[in-house]
Amino acid sequence: MKRWIPTREQLRRSKWLRPVAHHLDNERLWRTDRGSVARAVAIGVFVGFMLPVAQFLFAIAVAIALRGHVAIAATATLITNPFTFPPIYWAAYKIGRFLLGEPDDEAAALRVESETAALLEQQGFIEGLWTAAQSAGAPLLVGLASLAVIGAATGFTLVWLLWRPRPEHRPDEDERPPEQ
């Protein structure tokens, strides 16, 4: 897991984080305790679902503001990536249609899916994503917001419930090296 989490030095050297780099020296943003990790996971998942671009930067800024572990918040944004993006956005669209009370029109969903794929090929990832989000409209935004809130709450709760502090290892008397 540690190989995927950026180090403090890697984040401090990032040109994109230069405006907030001075905050990265704060030790509480690097503590791996139950509260800071739970907040970081919630922040990263929320930002990962809500923002299609610059997730990493926004997650770090929010983690600084809410005292979450900055590297874990940045890493948790990877819940959305090029592999998970299509099914997540498709599910968000379907959830949004359901929540808005719109009829489940399979033809419309397939049309949005094919248009999105064509746009991504023609315009590039960022431009195609923006155009597809505009064409999907309110159902997509409502679905993404729902997934973001539910995902953040679930991530926070799971970390909070599953976190077990590591006991400090103290050698027993039998394990101590013999005195000379």
Side-chain angles (χ1 to χ4, degrees), residues 3-65:
R3 67 179 157 197
W4 295 316
I5 298 175
T7 66
R8 184 184 314 197
E9 285 305 315
Q10 288 171 324
L11 292 174
R12 191 182 292 137
R13 285 192 306 260
S14 169
K15 68 178 181 177
W16 299 102
L17 294 175
R18 204 165 282 137
V20 295
H22 63 282
H23 291 290
L24 298 176
D25 291 328
N26 188 339
E27 286 300 319
R28 69 185 172 150
L29 300 176
W30 297 94
R31 256 187 241 136
T32 52
D33 60 43
R34 181 191 224 180
S36 69
V37 171
R39 277 190 303 275
V41 168
I43 290 164
V45 169
F46 184 85
V47 171
F49 278 124
M50 286 303 295
L51 299 176
V53 294
Q55 301 165 330
F56 186 83
L57 302 174
F58 283 101
I60 289 173
V62 174
I64 289 170

Side-chain angles (χ1 to χ4, degrees), residues 84-131:
T84 63
F85 172 79
I88 286 174
Y89 272 56
W90 177 82
Y93 179 75
K94 298 289 263 183
I95 291 168
R97 289 185 66 85
F98 173 77
L99 292 174
L100 293 173
E102 295 181 7
D104 191 15
D105 183 7
E106 190 66 32
L110 291 173
R111 188 178 67 250
V112 169
E113 184 179 344
S114 65
E115 288 173 3
T116 302
L119 288 170
L120 291 176
E121 287 179 18
Q122 293 172 358
Q123 298 179 346
F125 185 76
I126 302 299
E127 295 84 10
L129 177 65
W130 180 250
T131 306

